[in-house]
Structure formats: C-alpha cells, structure tokens
Amino acid sequence: MNDRLLELYRGVAVHATANLEHQAALELLVLVMLADQDIADEEVELVREISTEWRDDEFAFEEYLRPAIEEARHAIEHDSVEEFLDSIDGRISSRVLRSALFSAAREVAGVDDEVSPEEGSLLSQIAVRFV
C-alpha cells in the first residue's frame, strides 16, 4: 500500500485498515513481552490468544509474530522505544482496539505473576497513550 493511500485511511477505522491496526497492536504486545529480555512460552501463548481474539478473520499469527519481534527488539536495542510507540500509536485509530491495549499489555506483563521494572515503565507509557 503506498504512503498516500495510507494517509487517506489513517484515522478511519474500516476493514481496509484493520490489518495495519492489528499488526501494530501485535507489535505493542510483543514489545511488552520483550521488555524484560525474556520470552516465556506463556507470554507467546497469551499474545497469540489476545491477537486472535481481536481478529474476525483468519489471522496468520505466526506470519506476523517474527517481524513484530524483530521490530520490537530493534527498538529496545537502539533505545528507540518511544519512537516505536509513536509509530504504533499512529497506526491504531480504532477506539475499541485502543481501549483494549492497556489491559492486554498489563495481562502480558503479568502472565508470569511478576511485573519487572522495565515492564512497569513500559506499561506507564502505554497507559498515557492508550487509556
């Protein structure tokens, strides 16, 4: 999709932008999953469950997971988490999806019954943007 078409659809929650929004939401959940530098199987399964609940169609989770991990890892390694959050924020216009993001992120951070300082800091940033 070219940039001009993306700009036309930005801010409009329609089926045409659903994939873009759900990909951004997956990236956000993966960022939370990677915040403590440990990827637990329980976190991956929870992210899979949440991601598929948000989609009405057949969401190819595995197809989108690896790129989301790479993007989130790059943001963490290059100290550009805030810019990455800006990118995610700019791609999600659905009020329903935006309102669900913080609780989903909190659920991913706490799946191991412990929220690390890194996860807590990230959750604070997510709360400011999406709650």
Side-chain angles (χ1 to χ4, degrees):
M1 192 181 287
N2 68 37
D3 291 342
R4 186 167 184 200
L5 187 56
L6 276 173
E7 278 305 311
L8 288 172
Y9 280 111
R10 194 168 309 283
V12 180
V14 296
H15 184 69
T17 61
N19 191 48
L20 182 67
E21 291 185 331
H22 287 102
Q23 183 178 356
L26 176 60
E27 289 172 3
L28 180 77
L29 296 180
V30 167
L31 181 63
V32 172
M33 186 173 70
L34 293 175
D36 63 359
Q37 305 297 319
D38 180 41
I39 302 175
D41 290 340
E42 299 85 24
E43 290 173 321
V44 174
E45 285 308 310
L46 180 58
V47 169
R48 177 191 323 273
E49 180 183 319
I50 292 168
S51 297
T52 55
E53 284 177 6
W54 286 344
R55 295 294 300 242
D56 292 334
D57 57 354
E58 288 295 316
F59 179 60
F61 177 78
E62 300 301 329
E63 178 182 332
Y64 292 100
L65 179 62
R66 178 69 46 206
I69 289 173
E70 290 171 11
E71 291 289 328
R73 185 169 281 141
H74 182 271
I76 292 168
E77 289 172 356
H78 292 91
D79 199 28
S80 59
V81 170
E82 191 162 333
E83 292 84 359
F84 189 51
L85 286 172
D86 288 343
S87 168
I88 292 168
D89 193 2
R91 289 181 281 153
I92 300 175
S93 60
S94 166
R95 283 179 270 183
V96 173
L97 184 55
R98 290 180 72 81
S99 68
L101 283 174
F102 178 73
S103 62
R106 187 178 56 212
E107 192 174 347
V108 170
V111 73
D112 57 1
D113 296 324
E114 183 178 322
V115 176
S116 71
E118 298 85 3
E119 290 169 327
S121 174
L122 185 56
L123 287 173
S124 295
Q125 293 178 55
I126 293 168
V128 169
R129 291 172 184 267
F130 296 101
V131 174

